[in-house]
Amino acid sequence: MTTVRHRRLRAVLVRLGTSVLVLWGAVTVSFAALRLTPGSVEDALIGTSTVTPQVRAQIVADHGLDQSFLVQYGTYLGNVSTGDLGHSYQLHQSVASAVGSQVGDSMALALTALALALVASTVLALLTARRARWLRGFSSGVELVGVSVPTFWVGILLLTFFSFRLGWFPAAGGEGLAGLVLPAVAVAVPLTALLTQVMREGLEIALDEPFVLTARARGMSDAGVRLRHALRHALLPVVTLAGWMLGSLIGALVVIEQVFNRQGVGRLVLAAVQDKDMPVVMGVVLLSAAVYVTVSALLDLVYRIVDPRLRGTA
């Protein structure tokens, strides 16, 4: 019992240490990259205004831009460790407030798109795994198109047909469920295509296992075998991939939120990069890394729910 507790404690400490390293690495790399980009922060702060050299020097000093790179980096890490993400240069508010006001819309879009993709991919994989060759070939061709087509182009097609021609959904900036449908579908299309491929392969491997033959010998229907036995065995790689997708959706949201004129973290970080608003960019990077860390920890729990054999491991 003591050995098991030690192993579990060690696993928890390793997880915490890895999470801290991921957050530190994300902040460090993004901080260095933004400092090395062309242009200067003080120019972004001043904008198109004409100021005297004395005023410019005062702005530089007020924001600590006259200090060395290492001093600025150390100061930022110290502030982040206390929960202070700084203040936006352009929005004139705290980074926590700026990001917090937008993260709800982005998370709603990301989670809705992922939920749609999981449901659609599960249905498609169950319907096509170990079916007629022409059906599997047709499905694979559609999935290849879904993965290859740019997300923004899918969004434009959806807007053209369902908004401009049919008028079923708002063309841009819609709120509520009506404004969420088309952006979520656009984001879900490539996710569905990839998840379907992975899940179908897992189902076909599971359907060749001896336990499936045993279940069929007991008189279980084909649908029962697929839903009660094969699907669970095919879910582990899908869960891993879905977690990775959720963590990487901020990049896709930058484009989709522009196409559909939606508020969200994607548009916020795009404007911040263009304005060289470093505190906001760093805040979004930290948020993205935190999502990865959180999803990774949750996946460990989901693995044990999907596969009972993992519940006794550390």
Side-chain angles (χ1 to χ4, degrees):
M1 181 65 68
T2 303
T3 302
V4 173
R5 289 179 179 176
H6 287 167
R7 290 172 61 188
R8 290 178 177 174
L9 178 60
R10 180 181 178 184
V12 171
L13 292 177
V14 169
R15 168 66 66 184
L16 290 175
T18 303
S19 301
V20 172
L21 286 176
V22 169
L23 295 175
W24 171 77
V27 171
T28 301
V29 172
S30 58
F31 187 91
L34 287 171
R35 283 299 181 186
L36 295 175
T37 54
S40 62
V41 177
E42 55 265 33
D43 289 336
L45 288 168
I46 296 171
T48 57
S49 303
T50 302
V51 298
T52 63
Q54 292 77 11
V55 173
R56 184 183 185 90
Q58 186 61 45
I59 292 174
V60 169
D62 290 342
H63 289 85
L65 301 175
D66 55 343
Q67 299 174 339
S68 67
F69 173 84
L70 291 179
V71 171
Q72 293 182 50
Y73 171 66
T75 301
Y76 183 76
L77 281 183
N79 292 336
V80 169
S81 64
T82 62
D84 181 10
L85 301 180
H87 282 71
S88 169
Y89 295 156
Q90 302 295 331
L91 302 177
H92 306 294
Q93 63 180 130
S94 68
V95 172
S97 298
V99 176
S101 64
Q102 303 295 328
V103 71
D105 292 332
S106 293
M107 289 304 298
L109 175 56
L111 292 175
T112 303
L114 186 60
L116 288 175
L118 287 171
V119 172
S121 61
T122 301
V123 172
L124 291 173
L126 288 170
L127 291 176
T128 57
R130 283 285 183 268
R131 300 301 187 187
R133 179 173 297 181
W134 70 267
L135 180 60
R136 294 175 66 253
F138 176 77
S139 179
S140 297
V142 173
E143 292 154 17
L144 180 60
V145 173
V147 172
S148 305
V149 172
T151 306
F152 74 88
W153 191 69
V154 176
I156 292 174
L157 288 180
L158 292 174
L159 280 174
T160 302
F161 188 74
F162 291 103
S163 295
F164 301 146
R165 291 190 178 181
L166 299 179
W168 290 357
F169 301 99
E175 298 181 355
L177 182 60
L180 185 63
V181 173
L182 293 186
V185 172
V187 175
V189 166
L191 306 185
T192 301
L194 188 55
L195 288 173
T196 302
Q197 293 176 351
V198 174
M199 189 178 296
R200 182 170 57 244
E201 182 179 356
L203 281 172
E204 292 179 344
I205 293 174
L207 289 172
D208 289 333
E209 295 293 331
F211 66 84
V212 171
L213 180 61
T214 302
R216 294 186 189 279
R218 292 176 179 174
M220 184 174 290
S221 65
D222 180 68
V225 168
R226 290 170 180 262
L227 291 173
R228 295 184 58 183
H229 296 286
L231 182 59
R232 172 168 288 191
H233 286 75
L235 281 180
L236 281 180
V238 173
V239 169
T240 302
L241 186 57
W244 172 81
M245 287 176 171
L246 181 60
S248 63
L249 275 182
I250 287 182
L253 296 184
V254 172
V255 177
I256 289 299
E257 288 174 355
Q258 287 292 116
V259 171
F260 289 91
N261 194 27
R262 283 181 56 87
Q263 296 298 317
V265 174
R267 293 190 68 184
L268 177 68
V269 73
L270 179 62
V273 170
Q274 292 173 342
D275 296 334
K276 209 173 179 61
D277 195 345
M278 282 191 55
V280 173
V281 176
M282 299 296 295
V284 174
V285 169
L286 198 57
L287 170 65
S288 180
V291 170
Y292 269 110
V293 169
T294 303
V295 169
S296 179
L298 291 176
L299 286 180
D300 287 343
L301 300 177
V302 176
Y303 290 153
R304 286 161 174 76
I305 295 174
V306 174
D307 192 346
R309 295 171 298 179
L310 299 176
R311 295 174 187 174
T313 64

